[in-house]
Amino acid sequence: MTTTFHRHPDAPWAELRESRASPHCYRLHMHAEYSIGIVDAGTAVFHHAGGPERVAAGCVVLIEPGVWHACNPDDGAPWSYRMLFVQADWLHAQLSVAALRFPARLLRDAGTARAADALCRPLHGAALAGFADGLLRLAHRHGAPAQPLERTPHADAVAGALHCLHAQPQSAPSVQALAQACGMSAPRFIRCFKAATGVTPGVYRLNLRLNGARRLLAQGAALADAAHAMGFADQAHLQRAFKAHHALTPGRYAWRNAPEMGAASA
């Protein structure tokens, strides 16, 4: 099993993950970036709010920031895929939208597969302009400006807690303190939070901290510094959580081995 991350200094808003013959199952998680993925071999189940849906070679997945999801192979059988992560602020600025949504998160047509395959390849200098143009064409074709979501009673009830978690995930109050701030008992708060987000407050906060640590590591931060900055008890705590969610250690994720195309392998 090999997992490699590619980054290009002239496209700091994009990162590519290549996973080959991976048997790993992933916990439900979300990203701060837009995700464009293509399956190269094997089969898996794509879990998301509209799923589950089965994916196989040639399938393309499109995932917005904040969408909880997981893609897991059947019975741990190896599968191979590539996933491109695109920073939300960059994409919004290019498309002049406040947010983007994908009406369909799973696509099986050959044209989209060719476009995703071209995008999900390591970048080299001469290909950079064409890469950005192709990415914007795909986003324009399959995305739509996001409309404000209709607020639900559960979302209104935990809005303050969500704001607190996003503002300071590294030092957010305990679940008990968040519940008290919302005027609820802890059990009721957890039920309302899960109804609004799909996950518990603890899972939500851990995911925010891991995304923050991943961003810091990609920027060159030392592992110990990233762990401290995002509120992990120690470096070992970050290592365990990171590997459970990303199927590789944070040290492997951050490693770079080429001046033009940074890569991290496991």
Side-chain angles (χ1 to χ4, degrees):
M1 188 276 289
T2 301
T3 295
T4 306
F5 281 85
H6 301 276
R7 311 174 192 106
H8 194 288
D10 292 333
W13 36 266
E15 179 180 76
L16 174 65
R17 173 176 183 148
E18 289 186 280
S19 288
R20 301 295 180 189
S22 172
H24 294 292
C25 291
Y26 299 92
R27 297 178 181 178
L28 200 64
H29 62 284
M30 67 172 178
H31 300 289
E33 305 88 3
Y34 287 91
S35 307
I36 300 168
I38 184 166
V39 181
D40 292 315
T43 60
V45 179
F46 177 28
H47 297 275
H48 61 99
E53 298 181 280
R54 186 166 295 280
V55 297
C59 288
V60 174
V61 297
L62 304 173
I63 309 169
E64 307 97 312
V67 171
W68 291 88
H69 65 281
C71 263
N72 294 323
D74 296 328
D75 299 322
W79 70 310
S80 299
Y81 65 94
R82 288 167 286 157
M83 185 71 76
L84 179 69
F85 301 101
V86 181
Q87 288 182 6
D89 289 345
W90 179 87
L91 188 58
H92 296 164
Q94 301 304 308
L95 296 174
S96 299
V97 298
L100 195 69
R101 63 177 290 271
F102 298 120
R105 295 200 177 105
L106 174 60
L107 299 165
R108 296 185 172 90
D109 65 283
T112 302
R114 285 193 297 270
D117 174 66
L119 292 172
C120 294
R121 292 180 178 273
L123 271 178
H124 301 284
L128 185 58
F131 167 73
D133 290 343
L135 174 58
L136 295 177
R137 283 196 299 271
L138 185 143
H140 181 75
R141 178 182 177 187
H142 296 291
Q147 299 299 318
L149 296 177
E150 182 179 350
R151 296 185 67 88
T152 67
H154 291 302
D156 286 334
V158 300
L162 284 168
H163 176 76
C164 180
L165 289 170
H166 279 270
Q168 293 184 309
Q170 74 280 10
S171 59
S174 66
V175 169
Q176 184 66 44
L178 291 170
Q180 289 178 349
C182 292
M184 304 181 198
S185 66
R188 183 183 171 213
F189 170 73
I190 292 172
R191 288 195 299 271
C192 287
F193 193 97
K194 189 170 183 180
T197 67
V199 294
T200 65
V203 169
Y204 197 98
R205 177 167 50 194
L206 176 60
N207 197 91
L208 290 176
R209 287 177 170 174
L210 286 169
N211 284 344
R214 178 180 161 188
R215 182 178 64 254
L216 292 172
L217 290 169
Q219 293 170 353
L223 179 57
D225 293 338
H228 175 74
M230 295 313 302
F232 288 92
D234 52 33
Q235 185 172 312
H237 184 200
L238 171 58
Q239 287 179 318
R240 290 192 298 270
F242 197 99
K243 188 170 184 179
H245 280 73
H246 297 296
L248 78 166
T249 66
R252 286 287 188 178
Y253 169 77
W255 181 67
R256 297 170 183 230
N257 68 351
E260 180 182 10
M261 178 62 67
S265 301

